[in-house]
PDB file of all heavy atoms in Angstrom:
ATOM      1  N   THR A   3      -3.250  -6.832   5.909  1.00 39.00           N
ATOM      2  CA  THR A   3      -3.157  -8.109   5.439  1.00 39.00           C
ATOM      3  C   THR A   3      -1.792  -8.546   4.684  1.00 39.00           C
ATOM      4  O   THR A   3      -1.110  -7.771   4.377  1.00 39.00           O
ATOM      5  CB  THR A   3      -4.188  -8.329   4.401  1.00 39.00           C
ATOM      6  OG1 THR A   3      -4.810  -7.250   4.101  1.00 39.00           O
ATOM      7  CG2 THR A   3      -5.071  -9.437   4.520  1.00 39.00           C
ATOM      8  N   THR A   4      -1.372  -9.409   3.789  1.00 39.00           N
ATOM      9  CA  THR A   4      -0.692 -10.205   2.669  1.00 39.00           C
ATOM     10  C   THR A   4       0.637 -10.936   2.916  1.00 39.00           C
ATOM     11  O   THR A   4       0.857 -11.416   3.996  1.00 39.00           O
ATOM     12  CB  THR A   4      -0.362  -9.484   1.575  1.00 39.00           C
ATOM     13  OG1 THR A   4       0.013  -8.424   1.928  1.00 39.00           O
ATOM     14  CG2 THR A   4      -0.985 -10.028   0.374  1.00 39.00           C
ATOM     15  N   GLN A   5       1.315 -11.062   1.775  1.00 43.00           N
ATOM     16  CA  GLN A   5       2.398 -12.007   1.854  1.00 43.00           C
ATOM     17  C   GLN A   5       3.835 -11.262   1.845  1.00 43.00           C
ATOM     18  O   GLN A   5       3.980 -10.285   1.205  1.00 43.00           O
ATOM     19  CB  GLN A   5       2.390 -12.949   0.773  1.00 43.00           C
ATOM     20  CG  GLN A   5       2.558 -12.414  -0.612  1.00 43.00           C
ATOM     21  CD  GLN A   5       1.263 -12.279  -1.290  1.00 43.00           C
ATOM     22  OE1 GLN A   5       0.343 -11.731  -0.765  1.00 43.00           O
ATOM     23  NE2 GLN A   5       1.172 -12.754  -2.587  1.00 43.00           N
ATOM     24  N   ILE A  48       5.163 -16.119   6.425  1.00 96.00           N
ATOM     25  CA  ILE A  48       3.867 -15.837   5.552  1.00 96.00           C
ATOM     26  C   ILE A  48       3.038 -14.859   6.376  1.00 96.00           C
ATOM     27  O   ILE A  48       2.652 -15.145   7.463  1.00 96.00           O
ATOM     28  CB  ILE A  48       3.182 -17.167   5.291  1.00 96.00           C
ATOM     29  CG1 ILE A  48       4.020 -18.020   4.490  1.00 96.00           C
ATOM     30  CG2 ILE A  48       1.811 -16.803   4.584  1.00 96.00           C
ATOM     31  CD1 ILE A  48       3.325 -19.418   4.199  1.00 96.00           C
ATOM     32  N   ALA A  50      -0.226 -11.905   5.707  1.00 95.00           N
ATOM     33  CA  ALA A  50      -1.114 -11.177   4.696  1.00 95.00           C
ATOM     34  C   ALA A  50      -0.746  -9.762   4.797  1.00 95.00           C
ATOM     35  O   ALA A  50      -0.521  -9.221   5.876  1.00 95.00           O
ATOM     36  CB  ALA A  50      -2.502 -11.382   5.043  1.00 95.00           C
ATOM     37  N   ASP A  51      -0.902  -9.061   3.713  1.00 94.00           N
ATOM     38  CA  ASP A  51      -0.511  -7.675   3.569  1.00 94.00           C
ATOM     39  C   ASP A  51      -1.764  -6.747   3.071  1.00 94.00           C
ATOM     40  O   ASP A  51      -2.872  -7.418   2.832  1.00 94.00           O
ATOM     41  CB  ASP A  51       0.605  -7.454   2.551  1.00 94.00           C
ATOM     42  CG  ASP A  51       1.434  -6.244   2.851  1.00 94.00           C
ATOM     43  OD1 ASP A  51       1.001  -5.382   3.590  1.00 94.00           O
ATOM     44  OD2 ASP A  51       2.546  -6.137   2.272  1.00 94.00           O
ATOM     45  N   PHE A  52      -1.577  -5.476   2.978  1.00 96.00           N
ATOM     46  CA  PHE A  52      -2.712  -4.642   2.518  1.00 96.00           C
ATOM     47  C   PHE A  52      -3.123  -5.057   1.113  1.00 96.00           C
ATOM     48  O   PHE A  52      -2.312  -5.463   0.334  1.00 96.00           O
ATOM     49  CB  PHE A  52      -2.312  -3.178   2.440  1.00 96.00           C
ATOM     50  CG  PHE A  52      -2.040  -2.579   3.864  1.00 96.00           C
ATOM     51  CD1 PHE A  52      -0.755  -2.575   4.395  1.00 96.00           C
ATOM     52  CD2 PHE A  52      -3.122  -2.143   4.629  1.00 96.00           C
ATOM     53  CE1 PHE A  52      -0.510  -1.953   5.631  1.00 96.00           C
ATOM     54  CE2 PHE A  52      -2.813  -1.543   5.949  1.00 96.00           C
ATOM     55  CZ  PHE A  52      -1.608  -1.523   6.490  1.00 96.00           C
ATOM     56  N   ILE A  53      -4.488  -5.155   0.952  1.00 96.00           N
ATOM     57  CA  ILE A  53      -5.018  -5.763  -0.257  1.00 96.00           C
ATOM     58  C   ILE A  53      -4.963  -4.765  -1.371  1.00 96.00           C
ATOM     59  O   ILE A  53      -4.436  -5.149  -2.565  1.00 96.00           O
ATOM     60  CB  ILE A  53      -6.482  -6.195   0.064  1.00 96.00           C
ATOM     61  CG1 ILE A  53      -6.462  -7.336   1.083  1.00 96.00           C
ATOM     62  CG2 ILE A  53      -7.176  -6.618  -1.284  1.00 96.00           C
ATOM     63  CD1 ILE A  53      -7.825  -7.678   1.538  1.00 96.00           C
ATOM     64  N   SER A  54      -5.468  -3.597  -1.421  1.00 96.00           N
ATOM     65  CA  SER A  54      -5.777  -2.725  -2.529  1.00 96.00           C
ATOM     66  C   SER A  54      -4.404  -2.498  -3.390  1.00 96.00           C
ATOM     67  O   SER A  54      -4.473  -2.596  -4.575  1.00 96.00           O
ATOM     68  CB  SER A  54      -6.390  -1.362  -2.105  1.00 96.00           C
ATOM     69  OG  SER A  54      -5.551  -0.666  -1.235  1.00 96.00           O
ATOM     70  N   PRO A  55      -3.246  -2.224  -2.730  1.00 96.00           N
ATOM     71  CA  PRO A  55      -2.055  -1.937  -3.536  1.00 96.00           C
ATOM     72  C   PRO A  55      -1.606  -3.165  -4.414  1.00 96.00           C
ATOM     73  O   PRO A  55      -0.928  -3.052  -5.367  1.00 96.00           O
ATOM     74  CB  PRO A  55      -0.952  -1.527  -2.568  1.00 96.00           C
ATOM     75  CG  PRO A  55      -1.579  -1.577  -1.283  1.00 96.00           C
ATOM     76  CD  PRO A  55      -2.942  -2.087  -1.314  1.00 96.00           C
ATOM     77  N   GLN A  56      -2.069  -4.333  -3.980  1.00 97.00           N
ATOM     78  CA  GLN A  56      -1.626  -5.476  -4.677  1.00 97.00           C
ATOM     79  C   GLN A  56      -2.355  -5.607  -6.082  1.00 97.00           C
ATOM     80  O   GLN A  56      -2.088  -6.291  -6.924  1.00 97.00           O
ATOM     81  CB  GLN A  56      -1.924  -6.789  -3.930  1.00 97.00           C
ATOM     82  CG  GLN A  56      -1.250  -6.941  -2.612  1.00 97.00           C
ATOM     83  CD  GLN A  56      -1.500  -8.207  -1.825  1.00 97.00           C
ATOM     84  OE1 GLN A  56      -1.373  -9.236  -2.382  1.00 97.00           O
ATOM     85  NE2 GLN A  56      -2.019  -8.009  -0.567  1.00 97.00           N
ATOM     86  N   TYR A  57      -3.342  -4.797  -6.222  1.00 97.00           N
ATOM     87  CA  TYR A  57      -4.085  -4.706  -7.502  1.00 97.00           C
ATOM     88  C   TYR A  57      -3.976  -3.418  -8.236  1.00 97.00           C
ATOM     89  O   TYR A  57      -4.693  -3.164  -9.256  1.00 97.00           O
ATOM     90  CB  TYR A  57      -5.664  -4.997  -7.110  1.00 97.00           C
ATOM     91  CG  TYR A  57      -5.963  -6.274  -6.710  1.00 97.00           C
ATOM     92  CD1 TYR A  57      -5.751  -6.612  -5.425  1.00 97.00           C
ATOM     93  CD2 TYR A  57      -6.352  -7.233  -7.559  1.00 97.00           C
ATOM     94  CE1 TYR A  57      -5.940  -7.951  -4.923  1.00 97.00           C
ATOM     95  CE2 TYR A  57      -6.650  -8.460  -7.142  1.00 97.00           C
ATOM     96  CZ  TYR A  57      -6.482  -8.908  -5.869  1.00 97.00           C
ATOM     97  OH  TYR A  57      -6.691 -10.202  -5.356  1.00 97.00           O
ATOM     98  N   TYR A  58      -3.024  -2.600  -7.832  1.00 96.00           N
ATOM     99  CA  TYR A  58      -2.686  -1.387  -8.578  1.00 96.00           C
ATOM    100  C   TYR A  58      -2.078  -1.843  -9.838  1.00 96.00           C
ATOM    101  O   TYR A  58      -1.176  -2.582  -9.971  1.00 96.00           O
ATOM    102  CB  TYR A  58      -1.615  -0.509  -7.867  1.00 96.00           C
ATOM    103  CG  TYR A  58      -2.138   0.310  -6.715  1.00 96.00           C
ATOM    104  CD1 TYR A  58      -1.197   1.001  -5.831  1.00 96.00           C
ATOM    105  CD2 TYR A  58      -3.553   0.346  -6.322  1.00 96.00           C
ATOM    106  CE1 TYR A  58      -1.775   1.744  -4.776  1.00 96.00           C
ATOM    107  CE2 TYR A  58      -4.001   1.130  -5.283  1.00 96.00           C
ATOM    108  CZ  TYR A  58      -3.077   1.858  -4.478  1.00 96.00           C
ATOM    109  OH  TYR A  58      -3.530   2.638  -3.450  1.00 96.00           O
ATOM    110  N   ASP A  59      -2.699  -1.184 -10.990  1.00 95.00           N
ATOM    111  CA  ASP A  59      -1.952  -1.334 -12.222  1.00 95.00           C
ATOM    112  C   ASP A  59      -1.937   0.090 -12.792  1.00 95.00           C
ATOM    113  O   ASP A  59      -2.039   1.071 -12.125  1.00 95.00           O
ATOM    114  CB  ASP A  59      -2.796  -2.310 -13.068  1.00 95.00           C
ATOM    115  CG  ASP A  59      -4.303  -1.993 -13.283  1.00 95.00           C
ATOM    116  OD1 ASP A  59      -4.634  -0.836 -13.088  1.00 95.00           O
ATOM    117  OD2 ASP A  59      -5.090  -2.942 -13.443  1.00 95.00           O
ATOM    118  N   LYS A 301     -12.049  -3.853 -10.016  1.00 98.00           N
ATOM    119  CA  LYS A 301     -11.211  -5.023  -9.532  1.00 98.00           C
ATOM    120  C   LYS A 301     -11.722  -5.723  -8.221  1.00 98.00           C
ATOM    121  O   LYS A 301     -11.121  -6.624  -7.683  1.00 98.00           O
ATOM    122  CB  LYS A 301      -9.804  -4.474  -9.221  1.00 98.00           C
ATOM    123  CG  LYS A 301      -9.110  -3.840 -10.470  1.00 98.00           C
ATOM    124  CD  LYS A 301      -7.823  -3.205 -10.104  1.00 98.00           C
ATOM    125  CE  LYS A 301      -7.454  -2.069 -11.118  1.00 98.00           C
ATOM    126  NZ  LYS A 301      -6.330  -1.383 -10.654  1.00 98.00           N
ATOM    127  N   ALA A 304     -12.562  -9.358  -8.411  1.00 98.00           N
ATOM    128  CA  ALA A 304     -11.330 -10.157  -8.409  1.00 98.00           C
ATOM    129  C   ALA A 304     -10.657 -10.318  -7.021  1.00 98.00           C
ATOM    130  O   ALA A 304     -10.321 -11.389  -6.630  1.00 98.00           O
ATOM    131  CB  ALA A 304     -10.370  -9.631  -9.394  1.00 98.00           C
ATOM    132  N   MET A 305     -10.611  -9.207  -6.380  1.00 98.00           N
ATOM    133  CA  MET A 305     -10.079  -9.212  -4.867  1.00 98.00           C
ATOM    134  C   MET A 305     -10.889 -10.298  -4.092  1.00 98.00           C
ATOM    135  O   MET A 305     -10.377 -11.107  -3.404  1.00 98.00           O
ATOM    136  CB  MET A 305     -10.155  -7.856  -4.282  1.00 98.00           C
ATOM    137  CG  MET A 305      -9.372  -6.802  -4.908  1.00 98.00           C
ATOM    138  SD  MET A 305      -9.655  -5.166  -4.012  1.00 98.00           S
ATOM    139  CE  MET A 305      -8.862  -4.084  -5.132  1.00 98.00           C
ATOM    140  N   SER A 307     -12.831 -12.730  -5.092  1.00 98.00           N
ATOM    141  CA  SER A 307     -12.838 -14.224  -5.523  1.00 98.00           C
ATOM    142  C   SER A 307     -11.452 -14.723  -5.269  1.00 98.00           C
ATOM    143  O   SER A 307     -11.327 -15.819  -4.926  1.00 98.00           O
ATOM    144  CB  SER A 307     -13.271 -14.339  -6.907  1.00 98.00           C
ATOM    145  OG  SER A 307     -12.330 -13.777  -7.807  1.00 98.00           O
ATOM    146  N   ASP A 308     -10.267 -13.864  -5.333  1.00 98.00           N
ATOM    147  CA  ASP A 308      -9.040 -14.409  -5.034  1.00 98.00           C
ATOM    148  C   ASP A 308      -8.911 -14.738  -3.475  1.00 98.00           C
ATOM    149  O   ASP A 308      -8.319 -15.773  -3.128  1.00 98.00           O
ATOM    150  CB  ASP A 308      -7.998 -13.263  -5.278  1.00 98.00           C
ATOM    151  CG  ASP A 308      -7.672 -13.128  -6.910  1.00 98.00           C
ATOM    152  OD1 ASP A 308      -8.330 -13.991  -7.635  1.00 98.00           O
ATOM    153  OD2 ASP A 308      -7.033 -12.108  -7.110  1.00 98.00           O
ATOM    154  N   LEU A 309      -9.464 -13.879  -2.571  1.00 98.00           N
ATOM    155  CA  LEU A 309      -9.490 -14.115  -1.302  1.00 98.00           C
ATOM    156  C   LEU A 309     -10.278 -15.479  -0.947  1.00 98.00           C
ATOM    157  O   LEU A 309      -9.773 -16.328  -0.219  1.00 98.00           O
ATOM    158  CB  LEU A 309     -10.162 -13.020  -0.444  1.00 98.00           C
ATOM    159  CG  LEU A 309      -9.335 -11.880  -0.148  1.00 98.00           C
ATOM    160  CD1 LEU A 309     -10.182 -10.641   0.374  1.00 98.00           C
ATOM    161  CD2 LEU A 309      -8.120 -12.198   1.021  1.00 98.00           C
ATOM    162  N   ARG A 310     -11.518 -15.569  -1.510  1.00 98.00           N
ATOM    163  CA  ARG A 310     -12.380 -16.782  -1.294  1.00 98.00           C
ATOM    164  C   ARG A 310     -11.584 -17.974  -1.786  1.00 98.00           C
ATOM    165  O   ARG A 310     -11.742 -19.003  -1.186  1.00 98.00           O
ATOM    166  CB  ARG A 310     -13.698 -16.606  -2.068  1.00 98.00           C
ATOM    167  CG  ARG A 310     -14.566 -15.745  -1.322  1.00 98.00           C
ATOM    168  CD  ARG A 310     -15.891 -15.478  -2.012  1.00 98.00           C
ATOM    169  NE  ARG A 310     -16.811 -14.659  -1.348  1.00 98.00           N
ATOM    170  CZ  ARG A 310     -17.742 -13.944  -1.843  1.00 98.00           C
ATOM    171  NH1 ARG A 310     -17.977 -14.103  -3.062  1.00 98.00           N
ATOM    172  NH2 ARG A 310     -18.562 -13.229  -1.151  1.00 98.00           N
ATOM    173  N   ARG A 311     -10.950 -17.930  -2.989  1.00 98.00           N
ATOM    174  CA  ARG A 311     -10.257 -19.212  -3.436  1.00 98.00           C
ATOM    175  C   ARG A 311      -9.163 -19.671  -2.359  1.00 98.00           C
ATOM    176  O   ARG A 311      -9.217 -20.799  -1.999  1.00 98.00           O
ATOM    177  CB  ARG A 311      -9.485 -18.801  -4.773  1.00 98.00           C
ATOM    178  CG  ARG A 311      -8.966 -20.106  -5.441  1.00 98.00           C
ATOM    179  CD  ARG A 311      -7.881 -19.718  -6.482  1.00 98.00           C
ATOM    180  NE  ARG A 311      -6.598 -19.483  -5.880  1.00 98.00           N
ATOM    181  CZ  ARG A 311      -5.634 -20.315  -5.460  1.00 98.00           C
ATOM    182  NH1 ARG A 311      -5.844 -21.653  -5.825  1.00 98.00           N
ATOM    183  NH2 ARG A 311      -4.596 -20.068  -5.027  1.00 98.00           N
ATOM    184  N   ASN A 312      -8.443 -18.761  -1.869  1.00 98.00           N
ATOM    185  CA  ASN A 312      -7.360 -19.221  -0.921  1.00 98.00           C
ATOM    186  C   ASN A 312      -7.977 -19.596   0.369  1.00 98.00           C
ATOM    187  O   ASN A 312      -7.621 -20.493   1.090  1.00 98.00           O
ATOM    188  CB  ASN A 312      -6.308 -17.951  -0.756  1.00 98.00           C
ATOM    189  CG  ASN A 312      -5.544 -17.845  -1.962  1.00 98.00           C
ATOM    190  OD1 ASN A 312      -5.307 -18.903  -2.727  1.00 98.00           O
ATOM    191  ND2 ASN A 312      -4.933 -16.681  -2.258  1.00 98.00           N
ATOM    192  N   ILE A 424      -5.661 -14.276   5.459  1.00 97.00           N
ATOM    193  CA  ILE A 424      -5.433 -14.896   4.124  1.00 97.00           C
ATOM    194  C   ILE A 424      -5.114 -13.721   3.175  1.00 97.00           C
ATOM    195  O   ILE A 424      -5.738 -12.672   3.190  1.00 97.00           O
ATOM    196  CB  ILE A 424      -6.832 -15.530   3.635  1.00 97.00           C
ATOM    197  CG1 ILE A 424      -7.274 -16.647   4.567  1.00 97.00           C
ATOM    198  CG2 ILE A 424      -6.605 -16.039   2.222  1.00 97.00           C
ATOM    199  CD1 ILE A 424      -6.511 -17.940   4.460  1.00 97.00           C
ATOM    200  N   GLY A 425      -4.139 -13.992   2.305  1.00 97.00           N
ATOM    201  CA  GLY A 425      -3.816 -13.014   1.334  1.00 97.00           C
ATOM    202  C   GLY A 425      -4.368 -13.398  -0.092  1.00 97.00           C
ATOM    203  O   GLY A 425      -4.512 -14.622  -0.321  1.00 97.00           O
ATOM    204  N   PRO A 426      -4.845 -12.444  -0.834  1.00 98.00           N
ATOM    205  CA  PRO A 426      -5.608 -12.823  -2.089  1.00 98.00           C
ATOM    206  C   PRO A 426      -4.548 -13.340  -3.106  1.00 98.00           C
ATOM    207  O   PRO A 426      -4.994 -14.075  -3.975  1.00 98.00           O
ATOM    208  CB  PRO A 426      -6.108 -11.441  -2.596  1.00 98.00           C
ATOM    209  CG  PRO A 426      -5.333 -10.389  -1.879  1.00 98.00           C
ATOM    210  CD  PRO A 426      -4.930 -11.015  -0.582  1.00 98.00           C
ATOM    211  N   LYS A 427      -3.246 -12.998  -2.926  1.00 97.00           N
ATOM    212  CA  LYS A 427      -2.296 -13.677  -3.893  1.00 97.00           C
ATOM    213  C   LYS A 427      -1.491 -14.738  -3.284  1.00 97.00           C
ATOM    214  O   LYS A 427      -0.337 -15.006  -3.825  1.00 97.00           O
ATOM    215  CB  LYS A 427      -1.481 -12.425  -4.447  1.00 97.00           C
ATOM    216  CG  LYS A 427      -2.378 -11.330  -4.959  1.00 97.00           C
ATOM    217  CD  LYS A 427      -2.099 -10.940  -6.393  1.00 97.00           C
ATOM    218  CE  LYS A 427      -3.087  -9.988  -7.009  1.00 97.00           C
ATOM    219  NZ  LYS A 427      -2.706  -9.142  -8.034  1.00 97.00           N
ATOM    220  N   PHE A 428      -1.844 -15.299  -2.207  1.00 97.00           N
ATOM    221  CA  PHE A 428      -1.031 -16.443  -1.699  1.00 97.00           C
ATOM    222  C   PHE A 428      -1.001 -17.488  -2.722  1.00 97.00           C
ATOM    223  O   PHE A 428      -2.024 -17.721  -3.466  1.00 97.00           O
ATOM    224  CB  PHE A 428      -1.835 -16.934  -0.450  1.00 97.00           C
ATOM    225  CG  PHE A 428      -1.470 -16.318   0.873  1.00 97.00           C
ATOM    226  CD1 PHE A 428      -0.726 -15.079   0.876  1.00 97.00           C
ATOM    227  CD2 PHE A 428      -1.982 -16.747   2.041  1.00 97.00           C
ATOM    228  CE1 PHE A 428      -0.480 -14.469   2.141  1.00 97.00           C
ATOM    229  CE2 PHE A 428      -1.767 -16.069   3.273  1.00 97.00           C
ATOM    230  CZ  PHE A 428      -0.990 -14.929   3.228  1.00 97.00           C
ATOM    231  N   THR A 429       0.116 -18.270  -2.693  1.00 97.00           N
ATOM    232  CA  THR A 429       0.231 -19.360  -3.715  1.00 97.00           C
ATOM    233  C   THR A 429      -0.253 -20.640  -2.978  1.00 97.00           C
ATOM    234  O   THR A 429      -0.378 -20.567  -1.748  1.00 97.00           O
ATOM    235  CB  THR A 429       1.673 -19.599  -4.048  1.00 97.00           C
ATOM    236  OG1 THR A 429       2.426 -19.868  -2.925  1.00 97.00           O
ATOM    237  CG2 THR A 429       2.350 -18.388  -4.773  1.00 97.00           C
ATOM    238  N   ASN A 430      -0.494 -21.700  -3.578  1.00 97.00           N
ATOM    239  CA  ASN A 430      -0.904 -22.968  -2.996  1.00 97.00           C
ATOM    240  C   ASN A 430       0.138 -23.471  -2.072  1.00 97.00           C
ATOM    241  O   ASN A 430      -0.064 -24.201  -1.075  1.00 97.00           O
ATOM    242  CB  ASN A 430      -1.328 -24.055  -3.968  1.00 97.00           C
ATOM    243  CG  ASN A 430      -2.754 -23.711  -4.452  1.00 97.00           C
ATOM    244  OD1 ASN A 430      -3.459 -22.870  -3.886  1.00 97.00           O
ATOM    245  ND2 ASN A 430      -3.179 -24.501  -5.440  1.00 97.00           N
ATOM    246  N   GLU A 431       1.369 -23.185  -2.362  1.00 96.00           N
ATOM    247  CA  GLU A 431       2.537 -23.543  -1.467  1.00 96.00           C
ATOM    248  C   GLU A 431       2.302 -22.871  -0.152  1.00 96.00           C
ATOM    249  O   GLU A 431       2.576 -23.433   0.907  1.00 96.00           O
ATOM    250  CB  GLU A 431       3.811 -23.226  -2.190  1.00 96.00           C
ATOM    251  CG  GLU A 431       4.970 -23.818  -1.621  1.00 96.00           C
ATOM    252  CD  GLU A 431       6.219 -23.328  -2.196  1.00 96.00           C
ATOM    253  OE1 GLU A 431       6.226 -22.749  -3.340  1.00 96.00           O
ATOM    254  OE2 GLU A 431       7.350 -23.114  -1.614  1.00 96.00           O
ATOM    255  N   MET A 432       2.035 -21.561  -0.157  1.00 97.00           N
ATOM    256  CA  MET A 432       1.841 -20.706   0.923  1.00 97.00           C
ATOM    257  C   MET A 432       0.511 -21.308   1.777  1.00 97.00           C
ATOM    258  O   MET A 432       0.588 -21.432   2.959  1.00 97.00           O
ATOM    259  CB  MET A 432       1.734 -19.300   0.719  1.00 97.00           C
ATOM    260  CG  MET A 432       2.906 -18.793   0.116  1.00 97.00           C
ATOM    261  SD  MET A 432       2.639 -17.047  -0.658  1.00 97.00           S
ATOM    262  CE  MET A 432       2.693 -16.012   0.753  1.00 97.00           C
ATOM    263  N   ASN A 433      -0.496 -21.642   0.887  1.00 98.00           N
ATOM    264  CA  ASN A 433      -1.719 -22.158   1.596  1.00 98.00           C
ATOM    265  C   ASN A 433      -1.458 -23.405   2.313  1.00 98.00           C
ATOM    266  O   ASN A 433      -1.923 -23.713   3.399  1.00 98.00           O
ATOM    267  CB  ASN A 433      -2.778 -22.280   0.544  1.00 98.00           C
ATOM    268  CG  ASN A 433      -3.269 -21.009  -0.029  1.00 98.00           C
ATOM    269  OD1 ASN A 433      -3.258 -20.060   0.711  1.00 98.00           O
ATOM    270  ND2 ASN A 433      -3.777 -20.922  -1.212  1.00 98.00           N
TER     271      ASN A 433
END
Side-chain angles (χ1 to χ4, degrees):
T3 6
T4 44
Q5 66 258 49
I48 298 176
D51 207 344
F52 293 98
I53 294 168
S54 60
Q56 299 182 56
Y57 291 82
Y58 283 173
D59 52 28
K301 303 172 198 173
M305 294 178 190
S307 66
D308 290 349
L309 275 170
R310 283 182 181 154
R311 188 199 80 87
N312 290 333
I424 299 280
K427 306 236 170 160
F428 278 5
T429 61
N430 280 349
E431 195 188 331
M432 294 163 88
N433 291 333

